[in-house]
């Protein structure tokens, strides 16, 4: 392990407080992509955290990536959203990308993301067409919920397979590939700095060598490689948002109260306020324990971890919304002040239930496992 990879925790703490925290409100207020934070994280080796050490990466796994996402999400949900898509993409790239690209990721000079969902379609079931001519492949699609759209250096892209009817294929699409249409500006409700957008390819052109894995093997690759990372990292994002809401709510309840509230009991002396705080903390602790259990299962018994990962993704998504709503209630007028940060996490938590793998889809997949049905029928 490199010295830089071994010290990533100290570097991450420094970046969070010196770079990310001062810029988090601007990322939300202005919808500004957190480029300085991404650059700093890249220089500290965080973008290459999960790459094998032979490529200059940190050699770490899903557990460390989950810790990073939850820590980042406590401060800036937008940056955590960008990082979670990157880590999920790297899970594929570390197996199939050329070594020179992996060295660029390890050096912090390459950010990747996912382009797997399509407008109106289910995740991992692409309808976008692909056509080969003279060693060049045309990819047609409208990809939704793409984080770091227009900011990433590459996209993990799904399409219908070239040769196998009904199957799909994954591609490595460079940001500079001809035919990529990215909105000039995106004005979302939550996670506003993540540059999450719908991008259009009509067509995007890549060489046949950009294929990741085998033609027609995209669904299997997405379900066995991308899905576990996406489920765990989505849950880590929700966990980080919950942690920040609970912390700020406790500070609000125990802190100085406005002068007009002097005739009331302090919030900490009100039973209903204490009960709401207890509900928030209980939901937070439940998700934290579930996530730790799911990550351990993914490491020790990956063949049996799928149900736990689906459960924690769904539970974390719903719990983050519930905790954020309770935070708005508990903090009262303070919750609506931008500098306090509750309303930002409230919007981020609601937005985070969607994305490349929405909470509702995780619940559907979980229900399918209970009914012995395949995911993608």
């Amino acid at each position: 392990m490199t010295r830089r990879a071994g010290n990533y925790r100290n570097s991450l703490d420094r970046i969070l407080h010196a770079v990310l925290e001062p810029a988090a409100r601007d990322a939300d207020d202005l919808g500004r992509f957190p480029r300085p934070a991404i650059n700093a994280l890249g220089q500290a080796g965080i973008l290459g955290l999960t790459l094998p050490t032979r490529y200059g990466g940190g050699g770490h796994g899903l557990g460390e990536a989950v810790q990073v996402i939850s820590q980042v999400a406590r401060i800036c949900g937008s940056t955590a959203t960008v990082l979670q898509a990157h880590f999920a993409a790297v899970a594929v790239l570390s197996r199939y990308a050329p070594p020179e690209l992996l060295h660029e990721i390890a050096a912090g000079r390459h950010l990747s993301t996912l382009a797997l969902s399509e407008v109106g379609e289910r995740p991992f079931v692409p309808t976008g067409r692909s056509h080969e001519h003279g060693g060049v492949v045309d990819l047609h699609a409208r990809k939704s919920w793409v984080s770091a759209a227009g900011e990433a250096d590459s996209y993990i892209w799904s399409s219908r397979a070239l040769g196998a009817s009904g199957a799909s294929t994954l591609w490595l699409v460079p940001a500079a590939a001809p035919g990529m249409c990215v909105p000039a500006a995106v004005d979302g409700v939550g996670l506003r700095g993540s540059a999450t957008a719908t991008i259009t390819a009509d067509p995007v052109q890549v060489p046949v060598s950009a294929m990741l894995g085998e033609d027609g093997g995209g669904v299997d690759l997405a379900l066995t490689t991308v899905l576990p990372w996406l489920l765990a990292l989505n849950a880590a994002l929700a966990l980080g948002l919950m942690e920040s809401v609970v912390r700020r709510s406790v500070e609000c309840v125990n802190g100085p109260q406005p002068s007009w509230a002097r005739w009331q009991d302090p919030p900490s002396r009100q039973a209903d306020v204490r009960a709401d705080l207890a509900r928030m903390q209980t939901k937070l602790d439940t998700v934290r324990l579930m996530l730790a259990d799911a990550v351990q299962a993914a490491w020790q018994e990956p063949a049996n971890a799928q149900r736990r990962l689906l459960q924690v993704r769904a539970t974390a998504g719903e719990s983050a919304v519930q905790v954020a709503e309770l935070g708005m209630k508990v903090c009262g007028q303070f919750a609506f002040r931008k500098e306090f940060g509750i309303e930002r996490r409230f919007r981020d938590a609601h937005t985070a239930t969607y994305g490349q793998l929405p909470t509702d889809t995780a619940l559907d997949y979980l229900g399918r496992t209970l009914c012995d049905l395949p995911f993608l029928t």
Side-chain angles (χ1 to χ4, degrees):
M1 183 182 300
T2 63
R3 181 178 61 84
R4 182 178 63 182
N7 294 333
Y8 82 90
R9 290 185 178 86
N10 292 335
S11 298
L12 178 62
D13 288 341
R14 175 182 54 79
I15 293 166
L16 292 181
H17 293 101
V19 181
L20 193 56
E21 196 165 16
R25 273 190 59 194
D26 278 350
D28 182 74
D29 289 348
L30 306 176
R32 178 181 295 165
F33 186 77
R35 177 58 65 183
I38 295 299
N39 289 343
L41 291 168
Q43 293 169 7
I46 304 299
L47 295 186
L49 181 73
T50 59
L51 279 175
T53 55
R54 64 180 178 275
Y55 300 117
H60 294 288
L62 180 59
E64 287 80 7
V66 161
Q67 291 177 4
V68 168
I69 296 300
S70 63
Q71 284 183 261
V72 172
R74 292 172 201 165
I75 296 175
C76 181
S78 293
T79 305
T81 300
V82 173
L83 272 183
Q84 69 166 358
H86 172 79
F87 284 144
V90 168
V92 178
L93 294 176
S94 63
R95 295 178 58 184
Y96 296 106
E100 55 270 21
L101 175 59
L102 300 181
H103 284 293
E104 285 293 294
I105 294 173
R109 295 190 291 264
H110 190 101
L111 176 71
S112 194
T113 192
L114 301 174
L116 301 180
S117 295
E118 296 186 11
V119 175
E121 300 297 329
R122 297 177 64 189
F124 310 141
V125 187
T127 60
R129 296 174 288 113
S130 62
H131 173 67
E132 180 189 355
H133 53 94
V136 175
V137 177
D138 291 346
L139 300 172
H140 299 261
R142 289 188 67 211
K143 295 294 185 179
S144 60
W145 292 100
V146 180
S147 301
E151 299 286 349
D153 300 293
S154 66
Y155 302 82
I156 304 299
W157 190 284
S158 61
S159 76
R160 288 182 179 176
L162 294 174
S165 176
S168 71
T169 300
L170 296 189
W171 305 87
L172 174 60
V173 177
M180 184 83 70
C181 181
V182 180
V186 180
D187 191 13
V189 174
L191 304 173
R192 286 170 42 82
S194 65
T196 298
T198 297
I199 60 178
T200 303
D202 196 25
V204 160
Q205 294 185 321
V206 295
V208 175
S209 60
M211 184 184 297
L212 298 170
E214 298 180 356
D215 186 37
V219 167
D220 183 64
L221 184 54
L223 292 180
T224 59
T225 303
V226 178
L227 182 60
W229 284 77
L230 204 51
L231 291 170
L233 297 178
N234 282 170
L237 168 62
L239 177 65
L241 294 173
M242 294 167 68
E243 288 172 335
S244 60
V245 170
V246 171
R247 177 178 59 83
R248 294 298 279 162
S249 297
V250 170
E251 290 173 355
C252 179
V253 167
N254 291 329
Q257 301 300 308
S259 58
W260 53 262
R262 282 180 294 185
W263 72 88
Q264 299 176 334
D265 286 335
S268 61
R269 299 293 183 91
Q270 299 177 32
D272 57 339
V273 172
R274 296 196 302 269
D276 283 338
L277 284 178
R279 292 186 183 97
M280 295 164 70
Q281 186 66 52
T282 299
K283 291 180 183 298
L284 170 60
D285 290 342
T286 299
V287 169
R288 185 184 288 118
L289 290 171
M290 288 181 67
L291 183 54
D293 176 69
V295 169
Q296 184 176 19
W299 176 56
Q300 292 182 338
E301 43 180 337
N304 300 317
Q306 192 173 74
R307 179 184 296 187
R308 296 183 194 180
L309 289 166
L310 287 167
Q311 287 173 328
V312 73
R313 163 58 178 128
T315 302
E318 292 184 335
S319 296
V321 169
Q322 294 162 359
V323 166
E325 290 174 347
L326 285 170
M328 295 290 287
K329 174 186 174 184
V330 164
C331 294
Q333 65 163 353
F334 291 101
F336 295 89
R337 291 165 52 176
K338 284 189 174 182
E339 69 272 17
F340 205 71
I342 293 290
E343 61 88 24
R344 167 158 57 91
R345 273 77 176 203
F346 174 86
R347 290 184 285 104
D348 285 353
H350 280 77
T351 303
T353 62
Y354 298 94
Q356 295 277 333
L357 190 82
T359 297
D360 286 348
T361 300
L363 286 169
D364 178 44
Y365 285 0
L366 180 58
R368 285 172 174 269
T369 65
L370 298 175
C371 296
D372 294 323
L373 295 174
F375 283 174
L376 304 180
T377 55

